[in-house]
Amino acid sequence: MKRIDKHPILQVPEIAEITFYFEGMELRAKRGEMISSALFANDIHTFGLHPKDGSPQGIFCANGQCAQCLVIADGLPVKSCMVAVREGMKVHKLVNLPKLPEVDGENLESSEIEELSTDLLIIGAGPAGLGAAIEAAAAGLEVLIVDDKNVLGGKLVLQTHAFFGSVDNCYAGTRGIDIASILSEEVVEYSNIRIMTDTMAVGVYSDSKIGILEKGVYKIVKPKTLLVAAGAREKALTFPGCDLPGVYGAGAFQTLLNRDLVRPSEKLFIVGGGNVGLIAGYHALQVGIAVVGLVEGMSEVSAYWVHADKLKRLGVPIYTSTTVVSANGKDSVESVTVAEVDSNWKKIPGTYRTYPCDTLLIAVGLSSINEIHVMAKKFGIDSYVAGDAEEIAEASAAMFSGRVAGRKIAQKHGKDAQVPSEWEGMISVLKAKPGHEGFLVEIATGASVFPVIRCLETIPCNPCVAVCPKGAITIQGDNEILARPEFSGECVACGKCLTACPGLAITLVDYRTSGPGMARVTLPFEMPVNFKVGDDVMAVEHAGKNLTRARVINIISKKLNDKYKSRDSSVLIVLEVERDLATQVAGIRIQEETVSRPIDTVMSEDAGDDVVVCRCERVTEGQILNLIRSGVNDMNQLKAMLKVGMGACGGKTCGPLIESIFEREGVAKGEVTYFTERPLVAEVPMGVFAGVKDGDINDE
């Protein structure tokens, strides 16, 4: 079994096991987990064979946005990432479309469609949706929240790292999983908030009503106002082998890892140097998964530098101006080939390298999920967007965006709900890109004990200031969080700033207690502690360069008193090092360099025309190019001729990729006709519109 039974951050709950069957094999699963997670836990990564060409299929988004994880469960085709496994369930690979089950029409029971009304319907229970619900309900509105997951929190429930931002306004220094608990507990305190989980908004109608599917039962909602806070979906990327099992989104990886506590990989590689990719790599290391490397096509990562430095210190190489060439393997990923690119994004001959791995994570950006909002505005519904559905940004910005939207909506309903003047400014600050002024690390001269603060960017963040008992860490400037923290004054070596820093960018240097020429360095550590007091470890500087072997003097568990903390204590490691190196020590390398060595076999030729663009219908780039070069600039015509965009994902995955092909071919965006929007944003069994429950497949 590929289950995680110990984690440095997460508590591993005891959940009853059940029996299910895959291709006749008796397997064990955790009650309530998704079919896809249960299969991964049993080391099964190929869920089917595409009916068109027999290609192996696995997960890609793990968020219900695509259809690559389809299986046959108790006779019905379902998205395995969205349907819970149940006792005795019989799961089969999708090879050919199944024969439709016979239905006894005479005994088929239907019912009236329930119609609900509410002041505010919120789609999405992530940080933006929950923040908006709290503010709107506090002002007196009746609020209905719908979310397609079975727990509240959105992507927060996948985030084990601490968040940046303001301590007072958006829980900076607190882990995402704990912020989800804080917001969820606040929401359920309001009697005028109704919560519907396992519920998907499926369409908008011209009479200003919204169709929803709650646990297989279709209902209609008539809201006075709509707020779409559905978040974002991951962007896809095309290259040879991009459709192999083992190539999937970083968000899907975090879902398996941090939500379902399943170990989906032994050795992975990451494409994309944004925060999502870097954080996914960090999460992998927390459970002992080797991270072979990360490539970013730009000349520097777009993520916070502290996230990149955390990976480098742990032993993960980051290759900039480098792109993926291919994922290699027959039935699943066995290796990845990468190459350096020039300023025109052309691959440079002689720079191709191949690395063994079993998983390739794609983290090349996000796109807003706002289809419901677009439809609602078309039909004259009073509709708003917040969070990533409005603009891709950090979760702290999404929370504020939701709170502002909640109050503005309450105002429109005649409620007394003023938006504080500083809130709009705070959103701008939280969305601000970090400043890259080339800061140097300032060292407290003359002090015998002091923190070394390695904020090399202006990230909106202030937890270290908030927790210092002596007020010795301050942020100067016009904005209380958008500047670098500075130390001056007395340090009592409490270590609170070390555990509060989301970037793990602070260490504590102490010259007082070691022998001649030596010093002690205390640093935060969120990885499995596979060493003991007295052992030697490799101490590294902030960007991962080896400095010296250092002796472990102490392993400290700092007690945490906040009831929302996901664990009871935070770990600090005390090292003894040469005095002259003490201020340079920033971390401990845990991954050996041999993990990241390329192999001799190198692929050097691209095969672009055979790359699959439309996963649902297995349409290649070459097929699309032939039609574009013949004069086709209407994506609906491509759909009619090739079936692109006709699959279960509704063109959400292939649509942007086809747009990029037009762009590469020199076709101006204004000359391209996009897919005609579907009346429903998700596939829905026809029977539910007549009040027939969507089978028993989703029932426990």
Side-chain angles (χ1 to χ4, degrees):
M1 296 288 281
K2 297 289 186 176
R3 296 205 179 271
I4 297 168
D5 54 13
K6 188 177 181 181
H7 195 284
I9 302 297
L10 296 170
Q11 296 177 350
V12 180
E14 292 187 10
I15 301 175
E17 289 193 343
I18 59 174
T19 298
F20 77 110
Y21 300 88
F22 181 72
E23 295 294 313
M25 295 184 295
E26 182 178 310
L27 303 173
R28 303 292 288 171
K30 297 290 186 181
R31 183 175 296 278
E33 73 180 343
M34 299 301 107
I35 297 171
S36 57
S37 297
L39 292 175
F40 263 80
N42 286 278
D43 206 19
I44 297 170
H45 297 198
T46 299
F47 297 172
L49 302 175
H50 198 283
K52 182 175 180 179
D53 60 6
S55 60
Q57 304 288 289
I59 68 164
F60 180 70
C61 76
N63 195 36
Q65 297 294 315
C66 72
Q68 197 153 325
C69 68
L70 281 173
V71 296
I72 306 298
D74 287 342
L76 295 175
V78 300
K79 293 180 179 180
S80 62
C81 70
M82 298 296 290
V83 174
V85 68
R86 63 177 183 173
E87 180 68 47
M89 178 181 277
K90 294 179 174 59
V91 181
H92 293 276
K93 290 181 179 180
L94 180 65
V95 178
N96 296 301
L97 293 179
K99 180 181 178 182
L100 293 176
E102 295 183 5
V103 177
D104 184 356
E106 294 183 1
N107 296 318
L108 187 65
E109 295 184 6
S110 61
S111 61
E112 293 295 320
I113 303 298
E114 181 182 1
E115 187 165 318
L116 311 171
S117 61
T118 184
D119 292 329
L120 174 60
L121 170 63
I122 298 177
I123 299 173
L130 295 179
I134 290 166
E135 298 298 334
L141 296 187
E142 293 291 329
V143 179
L144 171 61
I145 306 174
V146 302
D147 192 275
D148 60 359
K149 303 299 186 295
N150 60 0
V151 295
L152 304 180
K155 289 294 188 291
L156 289 174
V157 302
L158 309 181
Q159 309 303 336
T160 64
H161 59 283
F163 277 51
F164 297 91
S166 167
V167 170
D168 293 334
N169 296 313
C170 50
Y171 313 107
T174 302
R175 302 183 191 282
I177 48 179
D178 298 322
I179 296 173
S181 298
I182 293 170
L183 295 176
S184 299
E185 290 187 15
E186 191 170 353
V187 160
V188 298
E189 291 179 358
Y190 287 93
S191 59
N192 53 333
I193 296 179
R194 179 178 177 181
I195 301 167
M196 297 172 67
T197 54
D198 290 316
T199 302
M200 181 182 297
V202 298
V204 184
Y205 306 112
S206 58
D207 56 358
S208 300
K209 297 178 182 179
I210 315 291
I212 63 173
L213 194 64
E214 182 195 19
K215 297 180 174 68
V217 178
Y218 184 68
K219 299 178 181 180
I220 293 289
V221 182
K222 175 76 172 179
K224 294 178 181 176
T225 300
L226 171 68
L227 174 66
V228 176
R233 64 175 62 91
E234 292 183 275
K235 292 181 179 178
L237 193 64
T238 56
F239 49 87
C242 65
D243 56 320
L244 279 172
V247 180
Y248 50 90
F253 177 78
Q254 290 174 313
T255 296
L256 292 164
L257 200 71
N258 295 337
R259 187 192 72 181
D260 299 332
L261 294 173
V262 171
R263 182 187 175 96
S265 172
E266 295 299 326
K267 183 181 284 190
L268 65 85
F269 202 95
I270 302 169
V271 179
N275 285 332
V276 172
L278 292 167
I279 290 169
Y282 188 76
H283 290 168
L285 292 169
Q286 286 183 317
V287 296
I289 296 174
V291 182
V292 178
L294 180 148
V295 294
E296 165 58 47
M298 303 294 288
S299 59
E300 65 179 35
V301 297
S302 60
Y304 290 161
W305 286 353
V306 288
H307 283 321
D309 288 345
K310 283 193 301 185
L311 273 193
K312 292 176 184 177
R313 290 197 297 267
L314 294 168
V316 178
I318 295 177
Y319 309 105
T320 53
S321 296
T322 305
T323 190
V324 60
V325 175
S326 64
N328 313 311
K330 182 181 178 182
D331 297 320
S332 63
V333 173
E334 298 172 10
S335 67
V336 59
T337 299
V338 303
E340 296 175 23
V341 293
D342 61 22
S343 58
N344 295 315
W345 289 81
K346 299 296 184 183
K347 301 179 184 72
I348 301 174
T351 67
Y352 287 59
R353 305 184 302 278
T354 298
Y355 297 89
C357 62
D358 60 27
T359 300
L360 183 63
L361 297 189
I362 306 301
V364 292
L366 304 169
S367 57
S368 298
I369 300 176
N370 59 5
E371 294 89 352
I372 291 285
H373 171 69
V374 172
M375 290 182 183
K377 297 298 286 187
K378 178 180 177 181
F379 292 131
I381 296 175
D382 184 34
S383 182
Y384 295 74
V385 282
D388 281 351
E390 178 183 25
E391 179 183 353
I392 306 301
E394 294 298 300
S396 53
M399 275 183 275
F400 252 101
S401 170
R403 288 186 180 276
V404 169
R407 290 205 178 189
K408 286 184 175 179
I409 291 168
Q411 282 181 345
K412 196 165 185 179
H413 283 254
K415 304 296 182 180
D416 183 15
Q418 299 302 312
V419 178
S421 58
E422 64 271 17
W423 279 20
E424 296 281 6
M426 181 62 72
I427 292 176
S428 297
V429 168
L430 293 172
K431 289 181 179 180
K433 302 298 182 184
H436 296 170
E437 286 86 355
F439 294 127
L440 298 175
V441 176
E442 297 181 0
I443 306 300
T445 57
S448 58
V449 57
F450 53 90
V452 178
I453 303 174
R454 295 178 177 82
C455 287
L456 303 181
E457 303 170 291
T458 51
I459 296 174
C461 188
N462 70 356
C464 59
V465 175
V467 301
C468 181
K470 291 292 185 178
I473 300 177
T474 58
I475 292 178
Q476 307 297 324
D478 297 333
N479 192 288
E480 64 174 4
I481 66 172
L482 194 56
R484 296 181 68 229
E486 299 176 356
F487 168 78
S488 72
E490 179 187 1
C491 177
V492 295
C494 64
K496 289 183 178 179
C497 59
L498 277 65
T499 58
C501 176
L504 304 186
I506 305 177
T507 58
L508 182 70
V509 174
D510 191 342
Y511 292 144
R512 301 171 302 177
T513 54
S514 292
M518 304 298 288
R520 293 192 176 189
V521 179
T522 304
L523 48 87
F525 197 70
E526 295 185 333
M527 295 290 131
V529 180
N530 296 322
F531 45 80
K532 61 184 183 300
V533 172
D535 286 352
D536 283 347
V537 295
M538 178 55 72
V540 297
E541 48 88 75
H542 82 277
K545 180 182 176 181
N546 290 347
L547 281 176
T548 184
R549 300 297 298 182
R551 189 160 63 94
V552 178
I553 297 298
N554 201 0
I555 300 173
I556 304 170
S557 292
K558 298 287 289 186
K559 200 71 177 173
L560 302 175
N561 297 319
D562 190 334
K563 72 171 183 175
Y564 292 109
K565 296 297 183 183
S566 53
R567 58 176 181 170
D568 295 330
S569 61
S570 181
V571 175
L572 299 176
I573 308 297
V574 184
L575 303 178
E576 186 175 58
V577 301
E578 296 94 330
R579 184 185 180 98
D580 292 345
L581 296 176
T583 58
Q584 299 178 54
V585 172
I588 298 171
R589 176 185 289 274
I590 67 169
Q591 185 167 275
E592 296 296 331
E593 295 179 3
T594 53
V595 170
S596 301
R597 287 179 182 167
I599 57 178
D600 293 335
T601 303
V602 175
M603 175 183 169
S604 59
E605 298 294 332
D606 295 338
D609 283 0
D610 292 329
V611 171
V612 171
V613 174
C614 175
R615 295 166 177 267
C616 297
E617 297 295 336
R618 303 292 296 172
V619 180
T620 67
E621 184 168 321
Q623 292 173 287
I624 296 169
L625 279 171
N626 286 338
L627 290 178
I628 291 176
R629 289 169 180 171
S630 71
V632 173
N633 61 1
D634 186 335
M635 290 171 61
N636 296 293
Q637 191 173 350
L638 294 178
K639 178 190 287 188
M641 300 177 74
L642 298 176
K643 302 175 89 174
V644 294
M646 291 187 68
C649 86
K652 300 183 187 76
T653 303
C654 66
L657 296 174
I658 296 171
E659 283 188 292
S660 69
I661 295 174
F662 275 108
E663 183 179 355
R664 292 201 307 270
E665 288 295 296
V667 182
K669 190 171 184 179
E671 297 177 7
V672 177
T673 301
Y674 196 74
F675 290 134
T676 300
E677 88 182 10
R678 292 186 176 191
L680 300 176
V681 300
E683 61 273 35
V684 183
M686 290 294 293
V688 302
F689 295 115
V692 177
K693 193 171 182 181
D694 181 17
D696 293 323
I697 194 69
N698 294 321
D699 295 345
E700 274 296 310

